[in-house]
Each structure stands twice: as structure tokens, then as C-alpha cells.
Amino acid sequence: MGRGSNIRVTTSTSISQNRIQEILKANHERIYGLYIEGLAIEKKLLERRLALDLKVYIEGNLTKVIFGKTRLENKLPCYSDGAIIIDIEESDLNYDNVYRQLDLFFFNLSNKYLPRALDESLEFFNLPKKPSLVVKKLKTQWGNCKKSEYRIVLNSHLMKLPPKLRTYVAFHEVTHLLHANHGKEFYEIIDWAFPDRPELDRELREWSFVLRDNYVEEFAE
């Protein structure tokens, strides 16, 4: 017997329709109670889905996501008064659309701040030219270095981490322009700039959960 707006009763094929009617009448109050209980549960779940009570990390801090109409002409998701504001029609309010908006938010935020992290790292190196930077969402890496193309790739998820960690990742990838492998010379440079490297590596591992596509904390208290 299911709960909610649809009640389904399963019986043996040997039971007659009259007997089924008798059973239903005898259990009418119980069935009706399940029906009302199911409607309440479905309503609550629907309200929670529509409310989309979500939070997401920005620079290490759990931040609420708010939905509603904004006065911004471009209607792009933005950060304001301690929350992420997403301009979205109620008819379009679902997880898939929200996730796409959040990806766009972090992509735009990354293109503003990750170049700064890269430039700060480049100040410590005497490179023949400035490497190009690509910002994109990666599923398994914080970043990578294409030495042959003189290109640095940084993950847009880095904006969810404390600022010191994105600086550390940027410096790590720039160092690969000098040393492609994680050898002794590579780590001599890293340890010179970041004596607390083991702690930073541990923190990066702890933050790896934000690399998942479904990175939003749903129904957070």
C-alpha cells in the first residue's frame, strides 16, 4: 500500500471484488490516515525542493544561496550581503538549473581572482614570458601545467577554498614550468616558498569533496 495522492492495494488474484470492497471498507480510517499522512509528507518535500535551501563554500566559508528577481541588467549570479544571489524564474527553479548558475558564478569569480593568484606567484620567478591561464572546472585536479604550451590551468572550484590554498596551487603549477616532475629540485622551490607544505597538502585533500559535480550542501541547517 503506497502513501500519498495515489493509494495502491495489492491482493491475491483469488480474492473476489466483493471481498476486496469489504476489506477496504473495514480499513477505511487507516487507509485515509495514510493518505493524509502521505499528502503532508509530499507537501513538505515539495516545499523543500522549491525552497532549495542550499549553501555552498566561498573562500572556505559556507554561504547561503538566495533565489529571486534582481535589478541587475545582465541577471548573472552574484555575491551580495553575504549570500549568492541567483536571478531565476520560479518555473525554472530546479537543481539542474541552479547548479548551472552556480558553475557560472564560480567561473566568473575565478576569472577575476585566479589571474591575481597567478600574477602573485609569477613575481617569485624570472620566466622568459608570462604563461597563459585557462580557468575551467576540473573533476580530479586543482590545476595542471602544460609546459610544452607554456600554459597553466586552474580549477574554478579553487574559489571555494581559503585564499591561501589557491595561492599555493597557483605557485605549485608555475613551478612546473621549471620542473615538470615532482622531484627534489621542484620541492626545494615549493618548500622555500611554503614551509608548511605538508599542512597545505593535507588541507587540499580535506577539501577534495568540493570537486564533485553535485557540490552544493542541500537542506543545510
Side-chain angles (χ1 to χ4, degrees):
M1 180 178 296
R3 298 184 179 185
S5 56
N6 294 307
I7 301 295
R8 183 180 62 189
V9 179
T10 303
T11 66
S12 170
T13 56
S14 62
I15 299 179
S16 67
Q17 289 294 319
N18 289 337
R19 179 54 181 158
I20 292 175
Q21 292 294 328
E22 291 175 359
I23 294 173
L24 290 176
K25 289 180 179 179
N27 292 276
H28 175 267
E29 290 187 6
R30 179 169 179 268
I31 293 173
Y32 184 72
L34 291 174
Y35 173 75
I36 296 301
E37 180 185 345
L39 286 180
I41 292 173
E42 289 184 354
K43 181 181 179 182
K44 185 176 181 180
L45 290 174
L46 179 60
E47 288 174 349
R48 295 183 77 181
R49 284 197 295 269
L50 290 176
L52 285 172
D53 184 13
L54 307 180
K55 296 182 181 180
V56 65
Y57 284 96
I58 300 180
E59 295 193 329
N61 298 310
L62 201 55
T63 305
K64 187 170 181 60
V65 182
I66 297 177
F67 310 95
K69 303 306 293 179
T70 70
R71 297 180 180 178
L72 301 177
E73 291 184 3
N74 56 21
K75 295 186 178 182
L76 294 175
C78 63
Y79 181 81
S80 177
D81 296 327
I84 300 174
I85 311 297
I86 294 182
D87 189 316
I88 190 170
E89 296 289 346
E90 185 174 340
S91 58
D92 296 326
L93 194 55
N94 59 61
Y95 285 116
D96 289 338
N97 287 337
V98 169
Y99 292 153
R100 280 193 287 270
Q101 288 293 310
L102 286 170
D103 280 340
L104 177 61
F105 170 79
F106 281 107
F107 178 76
N108 291 337
L109 198 66
S110 296
N111 275 288
K112 180 178 180 180
Y113 288 99
L114 292 184
R116 299 181 188 180
L118 179 63
D119 289 342
E120 291 172 1
S121 298
L122 291 173
E123 293 178 0
F124 294 91
F125 298 86
N126 184 23
L127 299 176
K129 62 178 181 178
K130 183 177 180 178
S132 60
L133 171 64
V134 174
V135 174
K136 62 188 301 186
K137 185 174 75 170
L138 303 172
K139 293 184 178 181
T140 60
Q141 298 175 302
W142 296 116
N144 58 65
C145 173
K146 305 291 185 181
K147 186 177 180 180
S148 61
E149 302 174 14
Y150 225 67
R151 176 162 57 96
I152 301 293
V153 178
L154 294 178
N155 195 335
S156 58
H157 285 310
L158 284 169
M159 294 309 304
K160 300 173 187 176
L161 278 55
K164 64 176 182 179
L165 291 179
R166 69 170 179 256
T167 300
Y168 174 61
V169 170
F171 190 94
H172 181 109
E173 299 307 333
V174 172
T175 305
H176 276 308
L177 292 173
L178 300 178
H179 305 287
N181 299 317
H182 293 98
K184 179 181 178 181
E185 294 179 328
F186 174 87
Y187 281 116
E188 283 179 349
I189 297 175
I190 299 295
D191 290 338
W192 166 77
F194 297 92
D196 56 343
R197 172 173 64 88
E199 174 66 16
L200 295 175
D201 287 339
R202 181 188 64 79
E203 290 187 44
L204 282 175
R205 289 192 296 271
E206 290 179 350
W207 279 99
S208 62
F209 70 93
V210 302
L211 291 171
R212 297 194 299 268
D213 281 343
N214 191 0
Y215 49 73
V216 178
E217 180 172 320
E218 302 178 8
F219 309 127
E221 296 297 333

